[in-house]
């Protein structure tokens, strides 16, 4: 159970995503001196750009997560854990097969739109950066000149067609798959997943289109707010009207269908890349569609590995245990994802920024941006992870109800693993930006194989806890491999005193408070001041020990200046 979130690499996007920055201009013979003389200012500019873009995305993502949690909470309180397990299974299967239905276009469309127009490289056939990635299908891309209009047209058409094909296939195979799992009642979940796939594919590709043009508001408005807000709204009507389990399960595909139709209408009206007037002409040139798919299809493999890591635990629990176990464990997942969801937001602008530094040979700037962003974003999620570690029963009981406290130990294990991933930094996105996408793929492959093997070994005897341990080990191994590769290729790493020492002090303070006044804190209302206190202790330790760096102060000054102007 990894991410992606969002992630983004959250996750899921870092493995195949390489936004082109064009062939960055250098300073000639004075390039090294220029980098040295201006590195401080350029690093602050980069940090300001990344954090500004991340702020928009993370705000929308957190709002979407709150809406999703409200929908899940409504379902868990109206139906039994077994029935919620069917909902979780449908969601899991739909998410996995939607990756197949998008054919790698979720990353391919973004990269190609940025490269062939939005990024200033329109009309260029291939680049040095293309040769770095080593993707299959490169010759087709080099022989065919794509335009933003043709990329948008073929991307949307391919998403609709592939989504419908996968939908029909899964719907027809629902009963045989349920028999394979040994649970005939799963057929309903598989059919619900099937009718959800076309909507998921369209929503994801529409978001990829606007991301290629550097636009974030469409993702927030449609993917986070409309899609995830429609689900609890529809569920509320179903529960109020007492329409039963089938209607509640169908709320998921209904919310996706509503979002997909609205998103398509908006995309046609917004006309990104001028595709609306060129659509017919683009469809008469099938080589352009083939070139886009040839570029995107290799990215499908990296995305599938992420999905295998993300959903193996749920599928294995459904196979070896019961729908009730799936339901309880899936209550842990959206909570623990809050620890790493911020990386998916940061990667939106982090990848092209680091790509530009790498193209200019500004290795020191890469190192500074990597560490600064890791320190900031890890510090934001650190108090949350500590709260999950010390009071998991309180959190699960408050969000999902007392029946879900059985997942407390799993929440502890996953909270540690996810936070360690934050401490290790955006390693997958960094490798992608530097051009080492095959290294990302191999690291994902090792982790995915290990994850499957550990789940098969640990779930039968240990159930939910075994699934959590298997996922946690795979996550740590994947990040460890990539951290070593990032350090080898760029010298960047995040394991430094300015981040680790304040964390150690905060953990010690949290444990002492939990031991001294645990009963007073162990309630939903008591967790609020506890969480706020952890933020105060962490940032107080960082400032008091002199670990606030010039880049930190400059960024805060810019933020204050912008807020003052508003």
């Amino acid at each position: 159970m990894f991410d992606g979130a969002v992630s983004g690499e959250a996750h899921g996007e870092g493995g195949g995503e390489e936004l082109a920055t064009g062939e960055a201009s250098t300073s000639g013979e004075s390039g090294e001196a220029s980098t040295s003389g201006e590195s401080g200012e350029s690093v602050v500019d980069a940090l300001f750009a990344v954090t500004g873009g991340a702020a928009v995305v993370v705000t929308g993502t957190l709002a979407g997560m709150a809406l999703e949690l409200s929908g899940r909470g409504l379902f868990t309180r109206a139906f039994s854990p077994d029935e919620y397990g069917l909902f979780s299974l449908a969601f899991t299967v739909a998410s996995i097969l939607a990756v197949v239905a998008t054919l790698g276009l979720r990353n391919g469309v973004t990269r190609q739109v940025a490269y062939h127009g939005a990024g200033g490289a329109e009309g260029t056939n291939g680049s040095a950066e293309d040769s770095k990635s080593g993707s299959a299908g490169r010759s087709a891309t080099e022989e065919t000149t794509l335009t933003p209009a043709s990329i948008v047209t073929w991307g949307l058409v391919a998403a609709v067609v592939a989504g419908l094909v996968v939908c029909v296939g899964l719907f027809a195979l629902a009963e045989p798959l349920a028999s394979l799992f040994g649970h005939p009642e799963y057929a309903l979940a598989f059919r619900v997943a099937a009718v959800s796939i076309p909507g998921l594919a369209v929503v994801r590709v529409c978001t990829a289109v606007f991301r290629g043009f550097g636009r974030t508001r469409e993702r927030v408005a449609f993917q986070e707010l409309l899609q995830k807000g429609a689900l609890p709204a529809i569920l509320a009507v179903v529960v109020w009207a007492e329409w039963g389990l089938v209607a509640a399960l169908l709320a998921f595909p209904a919310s996706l269908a509503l979002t997909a139709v609205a998103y398509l209408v908006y995309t046609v009206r917004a006309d990104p890349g001028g595709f609306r007037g060129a659509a017919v002409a683009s469809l008469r040139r099938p080589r352009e569609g083939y070139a886009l798919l040839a570029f995107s299809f290799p990215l499908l493999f990296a995305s599938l590995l992420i999905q295998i890591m993300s959903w193996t635990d749920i599928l294995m629990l459904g196979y070896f245990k019961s729908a009730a176990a799936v339901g309880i464990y899936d209550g842990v997942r959206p909570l623990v994802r809050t620890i790493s969801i911020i990386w998916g937001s940061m990667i939106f602008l982090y990848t092209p920024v680091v790509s530009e530094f790498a193209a200019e040979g500004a290795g020191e700037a890469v190192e500074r941006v990597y560490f600064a962003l890791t320190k900031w974003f890890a510090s934001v999620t650190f108090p949350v992870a500590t709260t999950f570690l010390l009071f998991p029963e309180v959190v699960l009981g408050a969000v999902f109800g007392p029946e879900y406290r059985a997942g407390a130990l799993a929440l502890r294990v996953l909270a540690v693993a996810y936070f360690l991933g934050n401490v290790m930094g955006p390693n997958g996105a960094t490798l992608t930006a530097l051009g080492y996408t095959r290294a990302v793929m191999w690291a994902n492959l090792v982790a995915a194989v290990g994850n499957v093997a550990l789940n098969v070994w640990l779930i039968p005897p240990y159930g939910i806890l075994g699934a959590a341990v298997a996922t946690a080990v795979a996550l740590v191994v994947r990040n460890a491999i990539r951290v070593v590769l990032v350090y080898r290729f760029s010298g960047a790493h995040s394991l430094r005193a300015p981040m680790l020492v304040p964390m150690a002090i905060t953990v010690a303070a949290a444990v002492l408070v939990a031991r001294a006044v645990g009963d007073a804190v162990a309630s939903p209302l008591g967790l609020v001041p506890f969480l706020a206190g952890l933020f105060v202790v962490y940032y107080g330790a960082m400032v008091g020990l002199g670990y606030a760096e010039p880049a930190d102060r400059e960024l805060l000054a810019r933020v204050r200046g912008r807020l003052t102007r508003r």
Side-chain angles (χ1 to χ4, degrees):
M1 167 186 144
F2 290 54
D3 49 314
V6 199
S7 20
E9 172 150 296
H11 298 275
E13 297 181 25
E17 164 184 324
E18 181 169 86
L19 295 178
T21 58
E23 297 195 6
S25 60
T26 60
S27 304
E29 297 179 357
S30 62
E32 185 175 348
S34 175
T35 300
S36 175
E38 299 177 4
S39 61
E41 183 178 351
S42 62
V43 166
V44 173
D45 290 340
L47 293 174
F48 190 67
V50 173
T51 53
V56 175
V57 178
V58 77
T59 300
T61 301
L62 291 175
M65 289 187 67
L67 291 169
E68 182 180 351
L69 281 173
S70 69
R72 288 174 179 268
L74 180 60
F75 200 108
T76 58
R77 294 179 186 277
F79 298 93
S80 69
D82 287 290
E83 291 168 328
Y84 178 64
L86 292 177
F87 175 85
S88 300
L89 190 62
F91 183 86
T92 301
V93 173
S95 297
I96 293 174
L97 292 182
V99 174
V100 178
T102 55
L103 304 174
L105 295 168
R106 189 176 184 181
N107 296 314
V109 166
T110 294
R111 191 273 183 185
Q112 293 292 67
V113 166
Y115 180 71
H116 290 283
E122 186 173 1
T124 306
N125 297 330
S127 70
E129 182 180 274
D130 288 340
S131 64
K132 276 187 181 182
S133 66
S135 298
R138 184 69 58 202
S139 59
T141 303
E142 290 176 351
E143 293 171 3
T144 304
T145 300
L146 296 172
T147 65
S150 63
I151 294 165
V152 174
T153 300
W154 280 106
L156 293 175
V157 169
V160 171
V161 172
L164 290 173
V165 169
V166 175
C167 168
V168 172
L170 178 59
F171 199 92
L173 295 173
E175 291 188 3
L177 285 174
S179 299
L180 179 64
F181 272 75
H183 294 276
E185 69 274 15
Y186 285 3
L188 173 61
F190 292 144
R191 290 193 177 101
V192 170
V195 296
S196 304
I197 289 170
L200 266 175
V202 169
V203 168
R204 290 179 177 181
V205 172
C206 284
T207 295
V209 167
F210 288 104
R211 186 182 182 198
F213 290 96
R215 292 166 60 168
T216 60
R217 62 179 181 270
E218 285 79 12
R219 170 187 166 174
V220 171
F222 289 95
Q223 192 167 324
E224 302 298 340
L225 300 182
L226 179 56
Q227 175 189 330
K228 295 177 181 177
L231 178 58
I234 297 172
L235 274 175
V237 173
V238 171
V239 172
W240 176 78
E242 298 182 349
W243 287 341
L245 175 62
V246 174
L249 291 174
L250 290 174
F252 177 52
S255 66
L256 285 167
L258 173 65
T259 305
V261 171
Y263 216 162
L264 278 175
V265 171
Y266 175 87
T267 302
V268 171
R269 295 186 64 180
D271 198 22
F275 85 98
R276 190 171 57 194
V280 174
S282 296
L283 292 174
R284 290 173 178 169
R285 297 190 295 270
R287 288 185 61 84
E288 294 180 354
Y290 173 75
L292 176 62
L293 292 175
F295 178 86
S296 301
F297 192 75
L299 305 181
L300 174 62
F301 181 65
S303 297
L304 283 174
L305 289 174
I306 293 292
Q307 290 299 313
I308 290 172
M309 291 186 288
S310 298
W311 300 107
T312 296
D313 43 9
I314 284 287
L315 294 176
M316 291 291 183
L317 276 173
Y319 182 81
F320 288 114
K321 297 298 179 179
S322 64
V326 172
I328 291 173
Y329 185 75
D330 201 44
V332 173
R333 291 163 58 90
L335 288 173
V336 79
R337 274 164 39 202
T338 61
I339 298 173
S340 63
I341 199 70
I342 198 167
W343 293 112
S345 305
M346 179 187 71
I347 287 168
F348 187 85
L349 290 180
Y350 173 84
T351 302
V353 164
V354 173
S355 297
E356 185 174 346
F357 281 143
E360 295 171 352
E364 181 184 354
V366 173
E367 293 181 44
R368 293 178 62 187
V369 170
Y370 185 95
F371 175 70
L373 290 175
T374 301
K375 179 176 69 173
W376 294 343
F377 288 114
S379 69
V380 172
T381 56
F382 174 60
V384 178
T386 305
T387 302
F388 289 167
L389 180 64
L390 295 177
F391 303 104
E393 295 92 348
V394 178
V395 175
L396 285 168
V399 176
F400 294 110
E403 292 177 313
Y404 289 81
R405 290 175 180 170
L409 193 52
L411 179 56
R412 279 195 171 108
V413 171
L414 291 172
V416 172
Y418 267 70
F419 182 68
L420 286 177
N422 285 5
V423 171
M424 294 181 189
N427 40 70
T430 303
L431 288 172
T432 298
L434 296 176
Y436 298 102
T437 54
R438 287 185 176 181
V440 177
M441 188 175 298
W442 282 110
N444 289 356
L445 179 61
V446 170
V449 171
N451 192 23
V452 172
L454 287 171
N455 273 289
V456 171
W457 179 34
L458 295 175
I459 286 178
Y462 300 109
I464 293 171
L465 178 60
V469 171
T471 297
V473 170
L475 176 60
V476 171
V477 168
R478 184 190 73 169
N479 280 308
I481 293 172
R482 300 196 311 198
V483 161
V484 171
L485 293 174
V486 167
Y487 183 73
R488 176 186 174 187
F489 296 140
S490 70
H493 71 94
S494 58
L495 303 180
R496 300 177 184 175
M499 180 175 66
L500 299 181
V501 173
M503 286 182 180
I505 293 173
T506 307
V507 168
V511 172
L512 289 175
V513 170
R515 285 179 174 271
V517 293
D519 293 338
V521 175
S523 68
L525 291 178
L527 289 181
V528 175
F530 178 77
L531 187 60
L534 293 184
F535 278 103
V536 172
V537 172
Y538 178 85
Y539 290 107
M542 185 176 68
V543 174
L545 294 173
Y547 287 141
E549 300 178 350
D552 301 331
R553 292 189 288 270
E554 173 64 21
L555 181 70
L556 290 175
R558 292 194 183 192
V559 172
R560 282 197 300 268
R562 173 170 289 187
L563 293 176
T564 300
R565 288 195 299 272
R566 289 180 179 177

